[in-house]
């Protein structure tokens, strides 16, 4: 009798361990199926040259941007465009926040919309295109999916934006463009 009971207990423990492993692998599998948020532009590819049309050598308008694989519960997006290769400090080219959660793109040349823009290192609350003083610079377009609308005023700085999004980032996507002046 005790031998049978011991086998049943052993069988029950083994089944519980197998069930736990099964659940663990299902969770890992489902997590692996989640796609990372992706930021792209129809105007240039990741780690490729930004056309001069979007720079100080051209019309100096923002390129079109689009994103997908947005995390659940996203309430808004924020975008920062900066140049870490600028002399002395990272140069801020664009700060955009409170982009509505239902948006999945910003059109080329967008100046205003149902979002707020922060101050750039050009001292303006709008896009300022690449204009490196020398050599090839990298321009990081970083999009954040947030679990909140931000309580920031139009004209906020990049630093104020980064402080405000702490603890609210659900996802992040990055697109890097390169530019060297032609003139």
């Amino acid at each position: 009798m005790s031998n049978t009971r011991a086998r049943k207990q052993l069988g029950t423990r083994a089944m519980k361990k197998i069930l736990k492993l099964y659940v663990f692998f299902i969770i890992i599998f489902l997590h692996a199926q989640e796609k990372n948020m992706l930021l792209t532009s129809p105007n240039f590819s990741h780690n490729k040259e930004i056309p001069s049309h979007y720079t100080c050598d051209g019309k100096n308008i923002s390129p079109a941007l689009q994103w997908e694989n947005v995390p659940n519960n996203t309430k808004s997006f924020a975008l920062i465009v900066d140049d870490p290769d600028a002399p002395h400090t990272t140069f801020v080219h664009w700060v955009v926040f409170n982009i509505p959660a239902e948006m999945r793109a910003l059109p080329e040349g967008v100046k205003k919309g149902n979002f707020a823009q922060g101050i750039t290192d050009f001292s303006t609350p709008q896009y300022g295109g690449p204009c490196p003083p020398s050599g090839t610079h990298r321009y990081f377009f970083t999009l954040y999916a947030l679990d909140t609308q931000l309580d920031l005023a139009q004209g906020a700085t990049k630093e104020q934006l980064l402080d405000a999004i702490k603890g609210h980032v659900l996802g992040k996507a990055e697109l890097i463009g390169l530019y060297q002046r032609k003139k």
Side-chain angles (χ1 to χ4, degrees), residues 70-140:
V70 172
N72 292 333
N73 302 316
T74 297
K75 302 288 188 264
S76 71
F77 298 97
L79 174 72
I80 295 172
V81 180
D82 56 19
D83 171 8
D85 301 320
H88 312 294
T89 186
T90 297
F91 195 90
V92 179
H93 288 262
W94 204 14
V95 176
V96 186
F97 54 95
N98 287 338
I99 301 168
E102 58 277 0
M103 286 183 71
R104 294 296 181 270
L106 288 173
E108 176 182 275
V110 66
K111 290 193 183 284
K112 294 183 180 179
N114 51 349
F115 50 80
Q117 295 190 69
I119 201 78
T120 68
D121 286 336
F122 293 108
S123 299
T124 62
Q126 63 187 20
Y127 175 83
C131 198
S134 64
T136 300
H137 286 218
R138 297 169 297 151
Y139 296 87
F140 287 70

Side-chain angles (χ1 to χ4, degrees), residues 10-182:
L10 192 60
T12 302
R13 278 190 234 138
M15 287 302 290
K16 284 182 181 178
K17 285 183 179 180
I18 290 170
L19 185 58
K20 285 180 183 178
L21 280 171
Y22 177 75
V23 169
F24 174 76
F25 285 116
I26 291 293
I27 290 169
I28 295 296
F29 175 77
L30 291 174
H31 182 70
Q33 299 305 307
E34 292 177 12
K35 294 182 178 178
N36 290 330
M37 194 164 69
L38 180 65
L39 176 63
T40 60
S41 174
N43 307 120
F44 66 95
S45 298
H46 183 65
N47 281 325
K48 299 295 182 192
E49 185 174 347
I50 298 171
S52 61
H53 183 71
Y54 306 103
T55 74
C56 67
D57 293 325
K59 288 191 171 185
N60 202 27
I61 61 172
S62 61
L65 299 171
Q66 49 206 29
W67 51 93
E68 57 189 55
N69 303 329
V70 172
N72 292 333
N73 302 316
T74 297
K75 302 288 188 264
S76 71
F77 298 97
L79 174 72
I80 295 172
V81 180
D82 56 19
D83 171 8
D85 301 320
H88 312 294
T89 186
T90 297
F91 195 90
V92 179
H93 288 262
W94 204 14
V95 176
V96 186
F97 54 95
N98 287 338
I99 301 168
E102 58 277 0
M103 286 183 71
R104 294 296 181 270
L106 288 173
E108 176 182 275
V110 66
K111 290 193 183 284
K112 294 183 180 179
N114 51 349
F115 50 80
Q117 295 190 69
I119 201 78
T120 68
D121 286 336
F122 293 108
S123 299
T124 62
Q126 63 187 20
Y127 175 83
C131 198
S134 64
T136 300
H137 286 218
R138 297 169 297 151
Y139 296 87
F140 287 70
F141 292 72
T142 308
L143 182 73
Y144 300 90
L146 306 174
D147 66 1
T148 188
Q149 284 277 328
L150 299 174
D151 186 22
L152 279 179
Q154 179 90 2
T157 65
K158 172 187 167 182
E159 290 75 22
Q160 290 169 324
L161 174 60
L162 290 174
D163 282 344
I165 68 174
K166 285 181 184 168
H168 296 288
V169 178
L170 299 173
K172 177 180 167 182
E174 194 169 74
L175 172 65
I176 300 172
L178 310 174
Y179 190 68
Q180 180 174 8
R181 297 209 55 196
K182 307 292 187 248

